[in-house]
Amino acid sequence: MASSTTDISPDSSVKAQLLEVMSSRFLPYETIVTDAVLSLDEDTVLSTTEVDFAFTVWQSFPERIVGYPARSHFWDSNKERWGYTSKWTNDYSMVLTGAAIYHRYYHHLYTNYLPTSLKSMVDQLANCEDILMNFLVSAVTKLPPIKVTQKKQYKETMMGQSSRASRWADPDHFAQRQTCMNKFASWFGAMPLVHSQMRLDPVLFKDQVSILRKKYRDIERL
């Protein structure tokens, strides 16, 4: 796997300018030679076992975003607009790229397919790049992302970081993400995000119990 934040710019001034904008996270860097991209925020805490598990799941679903922190969208009938929520519910429609694996092809689509207006909005706000990537992938696949579970909840880990916690608790930050949701949906012409309730746990995923000992022997083929 390769990191989406690999430093390949030969000129330090150009490099600094690129890294100042959020969209630089999804540039199609030539140094990414693997199909899988492991995308992590600087304060994300995952064990190597959790990374390995996410990669194993991604190998079965390479067209989707596979990761840990999940979010959801909903239609607010009172305001007649799309809403964004980080509440822990039974379903989700986004997996944030702060701890996720996806195919490097989406870097090409993000950079070359999405309009400058949306990417400029992301860069000006320094926010919503993860939402936009989820919109893009779901628009292409017509499928939801896949959430994998970890021993220590991502939310607890994230909120343990003071600088990160203040950002996520900022009402302006949350309001910006609401605005992004509706701006993105308007450009795509519809809401491409798809809800899902599937969560894959490392204890249960493709367990090693002999297929001959299972009561439902065809369950692995579902």
Side-chain angles (χ1 to χ4, degrees):
M1 293 180 291
S3 170
S4 64
T5 57
T6 305
D7 178 7
I8 64 164
S9 178
D11 182 82
S12 59
S13 61
V14 173
K15 176 184 67 177
Q17 292 175 5
L18 285 174
L19 296 180
E20 286 178 356
V21 298
M22 301 299 288
S23 294
S24 65
R25 182 178 197 137
F26 301 130
L27 288 173
Y29 295 107
E30 293 180 356
T31 51
I32 301 179
V33 296
T34 57
D35 287 338
V37 174
L38 171 61
S39 177
L40 298 173
D41 283 348
E42 69 278 2
D43 54 0
T44 298
V45 179
L46 291 177
S47 68
T48 54
T49 300
E50 289 166 336
V51 173
D52 287 343
F53 173 61
F55 179 60
T56 299
V57 173
W58 178 84
Q59 287 178 303
S60 297
F61 305 96
E63 75 282 8
R64 305 203 213 181
I65 298 176
V66 175
Y68 288 95
R71 299 291 184 267
S72 189
H73 74 285
F74 64 94
W75 177 253
D76 189 330
S77 57
N78 292 327
K79 297 181 179 179
E80 295 188 344
R81 67 198 299 260
W82 293 106
Y84 169 91
T85 180
S86 59
K87 293 181 179 179
W88 292 76
T89 60
N90 290 332
D91 61 2
Y92 62 92
S93 57
M94 291 170 278
V95 166
L96 305 187
T97 54
I101 297 176
Y102 51 83
H103 199 286
R104 64 174 175 169
Y105 179 61
Y106 293 122
H107 279 205
H108 166 75
L109 290 182
Y110 188 100
T111 301
N112 298 301
Y113 172 72
L114 293 177
T116 301
S117 60
L118 295 188
K119 290 180 288 186
S120 295
M121 179 182 182
V122 165
D123 294 338
Q124 290 170 6
L125 295 175
N127 195 353
C128 304
E129 81 288 350
D130 46 1
I131 297 177
L132 184 53
M133 177 60 85
N134 274 269
F135 266 70
L136 174 62
V137 175
S138 289
V140 171
T141 64
K142 305 295 189 288
L143 295 169
I146 294 178
K147 175 174 174 54
V148 288
T149 60
Q150 65 182 126
K151 294 179 181 178
K152 186 173 184 179
Q153 290 183 338
Y154 179 88
K155 184 177 182 180
E156 293 176 354
T157 302
M158 179 182 66
M159 296 305 288
Q161 306 289 336
S162 59
S163 61
R164 190 72 172 176
S166 61
R167 180 187 177 194
W168 287 94
D170 184 354
D172 290 337
H173 179 83
F174 189 82
Q176 289 173 352
R177 293 174 81 78
Q178 300 272 16
T179 301
C180 289
M181 291 280 296
N182 289 275
K183 182 71 173 181
F184 298 163
S186 176
W187 185 84
F188 278 91
M191 172 53 72
L193 298 178
V194 180
H195 282 105
S196 175
Q197 294 184 350
M198 182 172 72
R199 288 170 171 78
L200 298 183
D201 189 284
V203 176
L204 304 176
F205 184 70
K206 292 189 175 181
D207 62 84
Q208 300 301 311
V209 177
S210 170
I211 194 70
L212 298 177
R213 292 168 56 197
K214 291 184 177 180
K215 182 176 180 180
Y216 303 102
R217 298 182 180 181
D218 293 331
I219 195 168
E220 297 285 1
R221 301 186 179 92
L222 296 179

XYZ file of all heavy atoms in Angstrom, residues 82 109-110 112-119 121 132 135-136 139-140 179-192:
255
model
N -30.168 18.869 2.293
C -29.461 17.714 2.815
C -28.732 18.078 4.102
O -28.204 19.180 4.231
C -28.468 17.176 1.790
C -29.115 16.591 0.579
C -29.171 17.133 -0.665
C -29.808 15.345 0.518
N -29.867 16.308 -1.520
C -30.266 15.193 -0.812
C -30.088 14.337 1.444
C -30.992 14.083 -1.219
C -30.812 13.225 1.037
C -31.255 13.110 -0.290
N -9.560 10.612 -10.887
C -10.898 11.165 -11.096
C -11.095 12.457 -10.303
O -11.675 13.422 -10.816
C -11.958 10.136 -10.688
C -12.098 8.896 -11.578
C -13.227 8.014 -11.069
C -12.360 9.290 -13.035
N -10.641 12.470 -9.082
C -10.793 13.663 -8.245
C -10.094 14.857 -8.891
O -10.645 15.966 -8.945
C -10.212 13.390 -6.860
C -10.487 14.483 -5.841
C -11.503 14.351 -4.900
C -9.710 15.650 -5.801
C -11.747 15.344 -3.957
C -9.960 16.637 -4.861
C -10.973 16.487 -3.949
O -11.215 17.474 -3.021
N -8.960 15.208 -12.154
C -9.228 15.504 -13.563
C -10.706 15.529 -13.951
O -11.048 16.087 -14.998
C -8.510 14.479 -14.447
C -7.012 14.523 -14.267
O -6.382 15.547 -14.487
N -6.429 13.413 -13.841
N -11.563 14.951 -13.134
C -12.986 14.896 -13.475
C -13.793 15.959 -12.745
O -14.655 16.615 -13.336
C -13.554 13.508 -13.161
C -15.049 13.411 -13.304
C -15.663 13.420 -14.573
C -15.871 13.342 -12.181
C -17.042 13.348 -14.694
C -17.252 13.271 -12.294
C -17.837 13.272 -13.558
O -19.199 13.217 -13.677
N -13.535 16.141 -11.479
C -14.317 17.103 -10.698
C -14.023 18.528 -11.140
O -12.887 18.856 -11.491
C -14.004 16.947 -9.208
C -14.452 15.635 -8.563
C -14.003 15.597 -7.102
C -15.971 15.471 -8.650
N -15.028 19.400 -11.106
C -14.825 20.782 -11.570
C -13.964 21.580 -10.605
O -13.915 21.315 -9.398
C -16.253 21.336 -11.629
C -16.990 20.570 -10.575
C -16.421 19.174 -10.654
N -13.316 22.586 -11.143
C -12.466 23.454 -10.332
C -13.261 24.144 -9.236
O -12.748 24.387 -8.137
C -11.787 24.510 -11.217
O -11.014 23.847 -12.223
C -10.890 25.413 -10.405
N -14.537 24.440 -9.511
C -15.357 25.151 -8.525
C -15.495 24.367 -7.227
O -15.416 24.941 -6.129
C -16.745 25.442 -9.110
O -17.406 24.229 -9.469
N -15.685 23.051 -7.326
C -15.833 22.240 -6.117
C -14.509 22.100 -5.383
O -14.443 22.197 -4.157
C -16.392 20.857 -6.471
C -17.811 20.804 -7.052
C -18.284 19.354 -7.149
C -18.786 21.633 -6.225
N -13.445 21.875 -6.119
C -12.132 21.733 -5.486
C -11.682 23.056 -4.867
O -11.047 23.066 -3.805
C -11.113 21.227 -6.509
C -11.349 19.772 -6.915
C -10.329 19.285 -7.929
C -10.558 19.911 -9.295
N -9.657 19.341 -10.329
N -13.682 25.296 -3.630
C -14.485 25.442 -2.419
C -13.851 24.675 -1.263
O -13.735 25.180 -0.146
C -15.904 24.923 -2.672
C -16.823 24.992 -1.476
S -18.461 24.309 -1.837
C -19.282 24.589 -0.261
N -16.321 15.127 -0.419
C -16.307 15.170 -1.874
C -15.790 13.859 -2.457
O -16.316 13.367 -3.459
C -15.451 16.336 -2.359
C -15.402 16.579 -3.870
C -16.804 16.702 -4.461
C -14.572 17.816 -4.180
N -18.615 11.390 -2.300
C -19.582 11.676 -3.363
C -19.091 11.079 -4.685
O -19.848 10.439 -5.415
C -19.763 13.186 -3.519
C -20.901 13.759 -2.733
C -20.845 13.830 -1.353
C -22.036 14.245 -3.365
C -21.892 14.374 -0.619
C -23.089 14.787 -2.657
C -23.023 14.854 -1.257
N -17.821 11.309 -4.976
C -17.246 10.846 -6.239
C -17.291 9.332 -6.351
O -17.751 8.785 -7.364
C -15.807 11.341 -6.351
C -14.997 10.844 -7.550
C -15.623 11.310 -8.858
C -13.553 11.318 -7.443
N -20.817 8.004 -6.659
C -21.380 8.338 -7.972
C -20.882 7.369 -9.031
O -21.621 7.015 -9.959
C -21.017 9.773 -8.349
N -19.651 6.936 -8.907
C -19.064 6.000 -9.879
C -19.583 4.584 -9.667
O -19.947 3.889 -10.618
C -17.525 6.023 -9.781
C -16.912 4.898 -10.616
C -16.980 7.366 -10.231
N -23.089 22.799 4.278
C -23.112 23.559 3.028
C -22.483 22.759 1.894
O -22.996 22.735 0.770
C -22.371 24.898 3.196
O -23.005 25.653 4.227
C -22.374 25.694 1.901
N -21.365 22.111 2.190
C -20.690 21.291 1.180
C -21.608 20.202 0.645
O -21.660 19.949 -0.566
C -19.437 20.654 1.774
S -18.080 21.792 2.100
N -22.320 19.546 1.549
C -23.221 18.459 1.142
C -24.182 18.924 0.050
O -24.380 18.246 -0.963
C -24.023 17.968 2.342
C -23.229 17.232 3.389
S -22.893 15.516 2.956
C -24.541 14.856 2.916
N -24.784 20.085 0.248
C -25.784 20.574 -0.699
C -25.151 21.110 -1.977
O -25.708 20.947 -3.062
C -26.639 21.649 -0.016
C -27.562 21.052 1.034
O -28.653 20.598 0.720
N -27.115 21.048 2.281
N -23.995 21.726 -1.861
C -23.287 22.201 -3.049
C -22.871 21.018 -3.920
O -23.036 21.048 -5.150
C -22.054 23.000 -2.623
C -21.246 23.584 -3.779
C -21.971 24.708 -4.460
C -21.082 25.389 -5.491
N -21.768 26.526 -6.156
N -22.341 19.980 -3.311
C -21.905 18.807 -4.061
C -23.099 18.101 -4.711
O -23.042 17.699 -5.872
C -21.174 17.828 -3.139
C -19.924 18.378 -2.513
C -19.355 17.762 -1.396
C -19.302 19.512 -3.019
C -18.206 18.263 -0.810
C -18.145 20.030 -2.443
C -17.602 19.392 -1.332
N -24.183 17.946 -3.950
C -25.373 17.271 -4.484
C -25.931 18.038 -5.680
O -26.409 17.445 -6.655
C -26.433 17.136 -3.392
N -25.877 19.378 -5.610
C -26.364 20.192 -6.715
C -25.546 19.949 -7.978
O -26.097 19.820 -9.075
C -26.308 21.679 -6.326
O -26.679 22.510 -7.411
N -24.213 19.872 -7.841
C -23.380 19.656 -9.021
C -23.579 18.262 -9.601
O -23.659 18.095 -10.822
C -21.903 19.846 -8.686
C -21.042 19.740 -9.920
C -20.773 20.742 -10.807
C -20.407 18.558 -10.422
N -19.991 20.252 -11.836
C -19.750 18.916 -11.625
C -20.332 17.246 -9.978
C -19.027 18.003 -12.376
C -19.607 16.321 -10.721
C -18.964 16.706 -11.919
N -23.700 17.257 -8.747
C -23.892 15.893 -9.240
C -25.294 15.681 -9.808
O -25.541 14.686 -10.486
C -23.633 14.882 -8.115
C -22.170 14.579 -7.901
C -21.422 15.316 -6.990
C -21.541 13.567 -8.601
C -20.069 15.046 -6.788
C -20.188 13.293 -8.416
C -19.452 14.032 -7.504
N -26.214 16.586 -9.521
C -27.556 16.476 -10.062
C -28.479 15.609 -9.242
O -29.680 15.528 -9.520
N -27.957 14.952 -8.224
C -28.720 14.090 -7.328
C -27.808 13.734 -6.164
O -26.621 14.069 -6.168
C -29.196 12.825 -8.041
N -28.379 13.067 -5.182
C -27.568 12.622 -4.048
C -26.998 11.235 -4.349
O -27.727 10.243 -4.381
C -28.423 12.566 -2.773
C -27.714 11.926 -1.588
S -26.098 12.658 -1.193
C -26.597 14.231 -0.504
N -25.687 11.130 -4.610
C -25.099 9.836 -4.962
C -24.807 8.935 -3.771
O -24.615 7.720 -3.946
C -23.792 10.231 -5.655
C -23.401 11.517 -4.998
C -24.700 12.222 -4.701
